Amino acid sequence: MNKILQKQVLAPTLKQIIVEAPLIAKKAKAGQFVILRIHEKGERIPLTIADYDRDNGTITMIFQEVGSSTKRLGLLEIGDEILDLVGPLGQPTEHPAGAKRIVCVGGGVGVAPVYPEAKELHESGVEIISIVGARNEELLFYLDNMKAVSKELHVTTDDGSKGRKGFVTDVLKELIESDKGIDAVIAIGPMPMMKAVSDLTKNYGLKTIVSLNSLMVDGTGMCGGCRVTIGNETKFACIDGPAFDAHEVDFIEQMRRLRMYQIEEKVEDCRCGEGME
Amino acid sequence: MAGTKKNPMPCQPGEERVKNFLEVALGYDEDVAINEAKRCIQCKNPKCVSGCPVGIEIPKFIEKIAEGDFQGAIDTLKEKNSLPAICGRVCPQEEQCEKVCIVGIKNEPVGIGRLERFAADWERKNRKEQSKISNTEGKKVAIVGSGPAGLTCAGELAKMGYQVTIFEAFHQAGGVLMYGIPEFRLPKEIVQEEINALLNLGVELKTNVVIGQTITIKELMEEEGYEAVFVGSGAGLPYFLNIPGENLNGVYSANEFLTRVNLMRAYLHPQWDTPVKVGKKVAVVGAGNVAMDAARTAKRLGAEDVYIVYRRSEDEMPARIEEIHHAKEEGIDFRLLTNPMEVLGNSEGWVTGLKCLKMELGEPDSSGRRRPVPIENSEFELDVDVVIIAIGQGPNPLIPRSTPELQTSKWGNITADESTGNTSMEGVFAGGDVVTGAATVIKAMGAGKNAAVAMDQYIKNK
Ligand SMILES: Cc1cc2nc3c(=O)[nH]c(=O)nc-3n(C[C@H](O)[C@H](O)[C@H](O)COP(=O)(O)OP(=O)(O)OC[C@H]3O[C@@H](n4cnc5c(N)ncnc54)[C@H](O)[C@@H]3O)c2cc1C
Ligand SMILES: Cc1cc2nc3c(=O)[nH]c(=O)nc-3n(C[C@H](O)[C@H](O)[C@H](O)COP(=O)(O)OP(=O)(O)OC[C@H]3O[C@@H](n4cnc5c(N)ncnc54)[C@H](O)[C@@H]3O)c2cc1C
Ligand code: SF4
Ligand code: SF4
Ligand code: FES
């Protein structure tokens, strides 16, 4: 069960694994995630289903090694099994009805969850313009995959080591202003990036969807730890999301909530602001 | 000779136990158990039996204990109750069997729960290795959820010869028994042993399957060949107060707090990976069993001051008397007639206090209960850094959402016949908290048992 069939190092702290999970592969849709646990004393951590293969019964996950669980996951090799793996969790992303042209923005590891969205939309005949951003060239991945499902692919890096120097929002702003008939935006990445995208598109009244990476325990609506304020209502990211209308999300609150265990986890390098500051 | 009072339950002293997670109540030894059993007058018309939701033959098992026939006692118990070690510990006996015990009219009632626990523990110590039965012949039935309702239903159906599969969302079976009720009240080892005994009857357990997400009820029946399905998915969805500041860092639902500690062993962090923020001063809002468990857990994790904040008075507190008593002994500070208004926080988003309003009891309402009414200008701030909300849970929406055929109440509970568990969807039965709302372990077990009988009939008449 849950055997790792393939493993690939995408960048020094960024890994991709393909795992045998027929039941999950059969059901998975873009926007959904799994929760996994690696050892008996392990934490339950959520990861997006970056891709799935229904025929072979496998799912793909891409993760950044930020703390003890993701680092330990990175140590597993082909043939190893993941102790617990449950999913698909969350609601599939509801794509804006009637949209013909959608911009997909992926920041950092956020490219992993944005790819299945772009792929599904592309397959249903929507024209995709993609913007992929990272701190530097080394952290870029999935460019070929994104290209295959996009009409245009734009790349940005903070240091200019690949593509354009700057932020994804720089490109997005130009695209919007060049009047290409964009109907909606899907943006997934670090919170500050999603907030910046949301602030930008709000000015243009452009429908924007983001996917929130709240802290989770069960992923089934049982603990309420993943709560987010949407509009004026509290929602649970794991069962009501993780995708939400960006213009309704209280990003400041979400950014604070992600810092909840910073002391307990003794983290040296918080990646919350990655790619933006 | 038999006295007017129950033989007291030996307990770890209060100041000792707040430093550990070991069980608080230690259980009767053989002599005390026999002595307590002799307090039962063996009524011809035993009221106690009707007070027990699963109808245990109480005088019979007590008589066996009095005779020193402990095996006979446990056999009698197990005819009606497959999880006696658990019920003997957590049943609200004072509301059920013991409430109507004849001896209780003049004196303290017979300690039925304590005796049940004694017999069950005796058997656990003397139990022989059971070999696992495997059953690949019978018709297939599916159970959703491995709380007391699902476990009991599974056990009954397995005994009838069905091939039973339990699907559980979590990585571990047991439901609230595992993730909710703390170790110091119900040791997880005991729960696990009872689950193992059920699995030995040939029940198959599939963890990490969320019905409604991984696979739907309809698919179980139409594609996987299950003849009938029992839904015992519990009442897991935590309610919040909907007051300002509730999403600040440091505000937990009791479910989250207790799950982190019980299931994920956050009290052993960092040996176990899951963290929990305990805080120095903790307010627990609510006064049911769940609130007591959360408060007593926080105290054990090192919180200096732990408050129970409750807007009604002592009389209305829904928790078991024993739990309230234990909480007081452990130094929990009860702030009754106190209504939380707002969680206060600092600029970083952390809890710094709980703004409350004092209440007083007003005129009785139509139900005869005196309603709490706010005292004007009585606002004050409780200095706390963690707030735990324990005001109740509703049914989880995943199954109703994915199964439109299932009729639900306006609160989202699955509508089911009380005596059979029959729902609006053919072949689907339901029971336990998902039907009744948050109730008790023994009621959930009763529902699981009734449903098993009805499912057997349904399949035979198909
Ligand atoms: C629905 C969902 C989908 C996700 N998909 C992916 C994915 O595809 N790939 C991926 O790499 N990560 C993803 N994440 C984030 C991932 O779950 C966390 O990085 C992981 O739980 C960290 O665990 P850890 O033990 O390695 O780190 P920890 O030791 O727990 O934490 C290390 C640092 O990461 C921060 N952190 C912890 N949890 C999160 C979180 N949920 N989001 C952001 N920062 C966090 C901590 O505050 C801390 O600063 C997703 C999260 C959610 C909720
Ligand atoms: C902290 C606390 C203390 C309590 N103390 C007491 C006490 O002292 N005495 C007492 O009698 N009662 C007590 N109760 C109440 C009692 O525990 C419950 O009434 C009882 O557990 C209900 O049993 P159940 O089988 O209906 O549901 P649960 O025990 O809630 O079990 C439901 C199971 O179903 C699983 N599940 C849910 N949805 C799905 C799905 N879609 N797919 C697969 N699996 C799913 C859940 O993960 C869970 O394991 C307490 C409750 C709590 C929370
Ligand atoms: S199961 Fe509960 S109600 Fe029934 S006899 Fe035992 S303690 Fe009493
Ligand atoms: S009612 Fe009390 S005294 Fe009578 S049989 Fe039951 S336990 Fe014994
Ligand atoms: S993770 Fe527990 S409710 Fe969402």
Side-chain angles (χ1 to χ4, degrees), chain B residues 48-49 51-56 58 61 77 81 83-84 87-93 96-98 112-114 116 442 445:
Chain B
C48 53
V49 178
C52 171
V54 294
I56 290 177
I58 295 169
F61 100 79
L77 280 162
N81 182 346
L83 307 170
C87 293
R89 286 176 166 77
V90 303
C91 241
Q93 296 100 7
Q96 300 179 346
C97 53
E98 293 180 20
I112 302 171
R114 293 172 184 182
E116 182 169 340
I442 190 70
M445 289 179 57

Side-chain angles (χ1 to χ4, degrees), chain B residues 70-93:
Chain B
F70 306 136
Q71 185 64 49
I74 188 68
D75 291 344
T76 308
L77 280 162
K78 288 221 158 164
E79 278 167 25
K80 293 286 164 72
N81 182 346
S82 49
L83 307 170
I86 294 169
C87 293
R89 286 176 166 77
V90 303
C91 241
Q93 296 100 7

Side-chain angles (χ1 to χ4, degrees), chain A residues 35 215-227 236-239, chain B residues 238:
Chain A
I35 285 190
L215 300 184
M216 294 186 176
V217 181
D218 56 300
T220 65
M222 198 279 282
C223 75
C226 62
R227 56 199 191 279
F236 291 179
C238 70
I239 53 169

Side-chain angles (χ1 to χ4, degrees), chain B residues 40-43 46-48 58-59 62 100-103 110 112:
Chain B
C40 168
I41 54 173
Q42 295 292 326
C43 308
K47 288 272 190 296
C48 53
I58 295 169
I62 292 182
V100 287
C101 167
I102 308 287
V103 170
V110 177
I112 302 171

Side-chain angles (χ1 to χ4, degrees), chain A residues 4 7-9 12-17 36 38 45 47 63-78 80:
Chain A
I4 299 178
K7 178 179 172 182
Q8 206 179 329
V9 179
T13 58
L14 197 66
K15 291 186 178 151
Q16 167 177 303
I17 49 174
L36 54 85
I38 306 157
I45 62 162
L47 292 178
F63 58 95
Q64 188 152 43
E65 296 174 352
V66 293
S68 65
S69 304
T70 43
K71 282 180 187 153
R72 214 186 247 259
L73 182 60
L75 295 175
L76 296 187
E77 295 299 340
I78 292 173
D80 288 345

